[in-house]
Amino acid sequence: MSSRATTLSLSALLEARSAAPADVSPDGRMVLVLSNLSGTMQVYRLPATGGDLVQLTDFEDAVASARFLEDGRVLIQKDEGGNERHQLYLLDPAGSNPPEPLVYEPEFMHLDPQQSRDGSLLAYACNRRNGLDFDVFVRNLSTGDERTLFAPGGMTVPTGFSPDGRWLSTERLTERPGDNDIHLIDVRSGDVVHMTPHDDEALFDRPAWLSDATGFLFATNSGRDFTGIARYDLPSHSWRYVHEAECDLSCSIDWAGRTLLVELNEDGYTRLELRHSETLELRRDVPLALRGVAPLVRPALGPRISRDGSFVVYHVSSSVEPGDAWRFDVQTGETVRLTKSPADLPLEDLVEPELHRFASFDGEQVPVFLWLPQRGDRPAPVLVVVHGGPEAQFRPTWRDSALIQYFVARGFAVAAPNVRGSTGYGKRYEHLDDVRLRLDSVRDLAALHDWLAAKPELDGKRAALYGGSYGGYMVLAALAFQPERWAAGVDVVGISSFVTFLENTAPWRRYFREREYGSLERDREFLEQASPLTHVDQIRAPLFIIHGANDPRVPVAEAQQIHRVLTENGIPCELLVYPDEGHGLLKLANRLDAVPRAAAFLEQVLA
């Protein structure tokens, strides 16, 4: 055991708190913050110049998003027990009154609320029409009157009003993986402009409107591998690229339409820039408080530029820092820490990963973050952490670091790959696992195992897997298709059968996921063959499973069915089901119960 293990408590790692700015008030004086000080993400406020946090909500369940309305009230989204059926509430910013429901229909979901700049209208998406299709609704905040503005079918959400309030932009997922369309809807007439006709599979991000409403900037990868910044001209209904790089870009803008905030995703790490919105000339870099991740592509918690463009607030975390809220002054270049979340940790003992690439079965170069422990008397066991998605990217944030740092301190090496199909490495790479290429990503794990086992300081015979959601599928698939390589697995809310998953997931999720995995109608035979449950008799390694009873994405039956068969086969398999959780563990009490038990399981198997 490493000497560092005596100073790193798993409970202390799990209990480290974090905070992220959620919005800036219209006058720029206050910042809304989402923080898990209470054990779940709740809403707080503090002065934009720094000061004490004032708690505004105290729900048992986490708050998903919070934003200021033009009248000073706060709009929040929250579900119950992880069921993801988010409802909309209004909150007094003084915190003197309990939240009051604004749109409350517990059987339906309410997503991506957007307010017009004059404060009169609120747009949001909801599946109340049939439980499947998400239509866009517009609500008059004064009268409470609502109307359906856009209902093309499928998954459609609003992405923002134009500054003059005439247009509402919407995003609709198409039937192709990694592909969407942007439409502009005339709020008064209902006329629709399809602004992104295209032939290739392409991403089009939310608009960053110019102040005169003649156009906007947005990120897209149409016709290229990485996302660049493009400008859409409303009078001509045409767009062109204005800024590109050899990495993915995303952007937002101040209300004056002068300053563009650009995020560059450089091998998983964030770099922020401020550019002139017309010329795209670099005005200045935004130096992050630490080398880490501050993703602009997460609108609920991404960096915010104040309306007048005078400052930027952001959350940055890393593999060695839980993360807090920071403020960058554009004029002076000064950075101020807005929150200091409690963390009873010897941060100097935490380990940064090294980024490597290994050759997979076909020569494809696969990125992997690798944490190495202090050298011991014998080769170290290995834990491979696989991200969910699959259209996602492992980035060096605090999200998985509690478990990672604990095991590194106890003499384990930890590897976190971005197997083919991950985002952040270009469109070509993202589509290398689509539908019938699914098992190629699983083969990447075999190549990773062999790359790790070839290192004399690592013990390939003591290698285990840990993953959640799609990462949970990858754990189960590797155990089933590569039983000779893996000694154990931990599956968190993972898919054990693509067939039963697609049959039983929420109806809207089935439509969304069949784009990536294949459809039951056309691809059923392949989906059966790619499912771990079909090959469950090949699994020899012990398995630990964690699931939420309210999971609307991957139903808990996915965990129960593979647990039942493995138990019947005599394979050690433990299943933990939490009745008040959904797709993952959002409550600290449940994490403090589940993660130490999973860690003890891995230590026992690999000791």
Side-chain angles (χ1 to χ4, degrees):
M1 183 186 299
S2 165
S3 60
R4 294 173 55 249
T6 60
T7 63
L8 279 183
S9 155
L10 181 54
S11 61
L13 287 160
L14 291 169
E15 290 182 17
R17 304 302 206 265
S18 65
D23 201 9
V24 178
S25 64
D27 60 9
R29 296 181 178 179
M30 302 297 295
V31 174
L32 286 180
V33 170
L34 288 179
S35 174
N36 58 356
L37 283 171
S38 67
T40 59
M41 281 293 183
Q42 299 299 317
V43 185
Y44 299 76
R45 63 171 170 81
L46 82 167
T49 54
D52 294 332
L53 282 173
V54 176
Q55 187 168 356
L56 302 182
T57 64
D58 189 20
F59 295 110
E60 182 180 351
D61 296 299
V63 174
S65 71
R67 64 176 58 196
F68 281 107
L69 296 181
E70 289 306 299
D71 61 7
R73 291 179 298 174
V74 176
L75 178 70
I76 64 173
Q77 282 179 281
K78 188 191 76 69
D79 70 357
E80 293 185 5
N83 64 13
E84 298 188 13
R85 294 196 291 272
H86 290 106
Q87 310 300 312
L88 304 181
Y89 300 84
L90 290 177
L91 187 65
D92 174 5
S96 55
N97 297 310
E100 60 179 275
L102 176 66
V103 183
Y104 186 79
E105 304 162 296
E107 63 272 30
F108 302 118
M109 302 174 68
H110 307 83
L111 305 177
D112 294 272
Q114 308 287 333
Q115 189 181 30
S116 59
R117 290 196 179 186
D118 66 3
S120 64
L121 301 177
L122 183 75
Y124 64 91
C126 182
N127 60 341
R128 71 165 66 104
R129 174 160 58 95
N130 56 16
L132 172 64
D133 297 301
F134 282 81
D135 305 327
V136 175
F137 297 86
V138 171
R139 180 184 184 92
N140 186 304
L141 288 173
S142 297
T143 67
D145 294 337
E146 285 194 355
R147 58 192 170 100
T148 304
L149 184 66
F150 191 45
M155 170 62 81
T156 306
V157 297
T159 55
F161 286 91
S162 60
D164 59 4
R166 177 184 175 184
W167 300 98
L168 177 68
S169 62
T170 67
E171 173 191 351
R172 180 182 182 274
L173 301 181
T174 73
E175 289 70 30
R176 300 184 294 179
D179 187 73
N180 69 331
D181 276 317
I182 301 296
H183 295 87
L184 298 178
I185 319 300
D186 189 304
V187 175
R188 292 182 180 176
S189 69
D191 292 342
V192 178
V193 176
H194 181 195
M195 60 156 282
T196 57
H198 60 287
D199 296 323
D200 61 333
E201 294 170 336
L203 166 74
F204 297 89
D205 208 351
R206 58 190 60 221
W209 283 92
L210 302 174
S211 60
D212 60 4
T214 60
F216 50 80
L217 297 151
F218 64 103
T220 179
N221 58 6
S222 182
R224 68 189 310 271
D225 198 24
F226 291 97
T227 55
I229 306 299
R231 175 168 177 159
Y232 185 85
D233 181 68
L234 196 55
S236 65
H237 295 304
S238 62
W239 64 270
R240 60 185 174 86
Y241 280 105
V242 293
H243 183 55
E244 302 173 71
E246 288 305 310
C247 64
D248 280 336
L249 308 179
S250 52
C251 67
S252 65
I253 200 168
D254 63 351
W255 269 36
R258 294 190 298 265
T259 303
L260 193 71
L261 178 63
V262 178
E263 183 208 352
L264 298 86
N265 177 351
E266 298 179 331
D267 261 329
Y269 291 94
T270 292
R271 185 157 62 88
L272 293 179
E273 298 176 336
L274 293 173
R275 292 184 173 270
H276 192 283
S277 62
E278 292 290 338
T279 66
L280 272 295
E281 178 184 358
L282 179 65
R283 294 183 58 191
R284 70 183 311 160
D285 291 317
V286 179
L288 296 181
L290 55 105
R291 184 172 185 248
V293 183
L296 197 60
V297 293
R298 290 184 62 198
L301 293 174
R304 296 283 191 276
I305 184 167
S306 63
R307 293 186 177 184
D308 62 3
S310 65
F311 65 89
V312 176
V313 292
Y314 64 88
H315 162 86
V316 59
S317 78
S318 73
S319 58
V320 297
E321 171 67 47
D324 267 302
W326 299 79
R327 180 185 189 272
F328 173 75
D329 189 291
V330 173
Q331 290 292 356
T332 67
E334 181 185 15
T335 296
V336 175
R337 187 170 192 160
L338 295 179
T339 62
K340 188 170 180 57
S341 301
D344 185 19
L345 292 172
L347 297 179
E348 67 279 1
D349 285 347
L350 304 184
V351 178
E352 290 268 15
E354 294 181 355
L355 180 62
H356 300 267
R357 282 175 166 79
F358 63 90
S360 193
F361 66 95
D362 57 355
E364 186 70 41
Q365 294 294 306
V366 178
V368 58
F369 290 95
L370 181 62
W371 288 257
L372 291 175
Q374 294 179 357
R375 293 296 293 266
D377 297 332
R378 61 173 179 156
V382 181
L383 180 63
V384 173
V385 176
V386 191
H387 70 71
E391 311 98 320
Q393 180 185 16
F394 184 94
R395 304 183 70 175
T397 70
W398 186 255
R399 177 179 176 180
D400 296 304
S401 277
L403 189 74
I404 290 173
Q405 295 290 349
Y406 175 77
F407 275 106
V408 173
R410 299 186 71 80
F412 285 67
V414 179
N418 278 305
V419 297
R420 69 189 66 207
S422 302
T423 56
Y425 303 95
K427 184 165 58 177
R428 180 198 68 85
Y429 192 79
E430 180 183 350
H431 290 296
L432 288 179
D433 71 337
D434 289 352
V435 190
R436 294 180 182 253
L437 300 175
R438 178 64 41 214
L439 294 179
D440 284 353
S441 63
V442 183
R443 295 172 73 183
D444 286 345
L445 293 181
L448 172 60
H449 176 278
D450 296 348
W451 179 77
L452 293 167
K455 296 182 178 297
E457 68 271 30
L458 304 182
D459 186 353
K461 294 181 180 179
R462 293 190 295 155
L465 297 141
Y466 188 106
S469 191
Y470 177 76
Y473 160 77
M474 292 288 281
V475 169
L476 298 176
L479 296 184
F481 289 103
Q482 304 154 15
E484 73 284 357
R485 283 183 168 89
W486 305 103
V490 176
D491 155 33
V492 183
V493 298
I495 299 167
S496 61
S497 167
F498 282 122
V499 173
T500 56
F501 159 68
L502 290 171
E503 287 175 339
N504 298 312
T505 189
W508 67 272
R509 288 288 299 178
R510 173 176 172 177
Y511 163 80
F512 176 49
R513 299 320 297 162
E514 283 190 330
R515 306 185 325 154
E516 172 74 24
Y517 297 139
S519 74
L520 290 174
E521 180 181 355
R522 297 186 303 272
D523 306 295
R524 190 181 190 99
E525 183 178 351
F526 172 76
L527 291 170
E528 288 178 347
Q529 288 305 308
S531 296
L533 190 65
T534 304
H535 308 275
V536 68
D537 290 344
Q538 301 300 315
I539 295 179
R540 296 289 178 267
L543 179 66
F544 194 94
I545 307 174
I546 301 168
H547 219 103
N550 302 323
D551 193 339
R553 303 190 183 201
V554 180
V556 68
E558 290 298 302
Q560 293 166 335
Q561 63 189 3
I562 198 162
H563 172 258
R564 181 178 63 254
V565 177
L566 287 176
T567 301
E568 292 171 354
N569 289 353
I571 303 300
C573 182
E574 183 172 353
L575 171 62
L576 298 182
V577 176
Y578 291 89
D580 56 347
E581 294 280 12
H583 195 62
L585 302 182
L586 295 181
K587 297 178 179 177
L588 178 61
N590 293 334
R591 293 197 302 275
L592 287 172
D593 180 67
V595 178
R597 292 169 69 175
F601 160 80
L602 289 172
E603 287 195 90
Q604 180 180 6
V605 172
L606 300 181

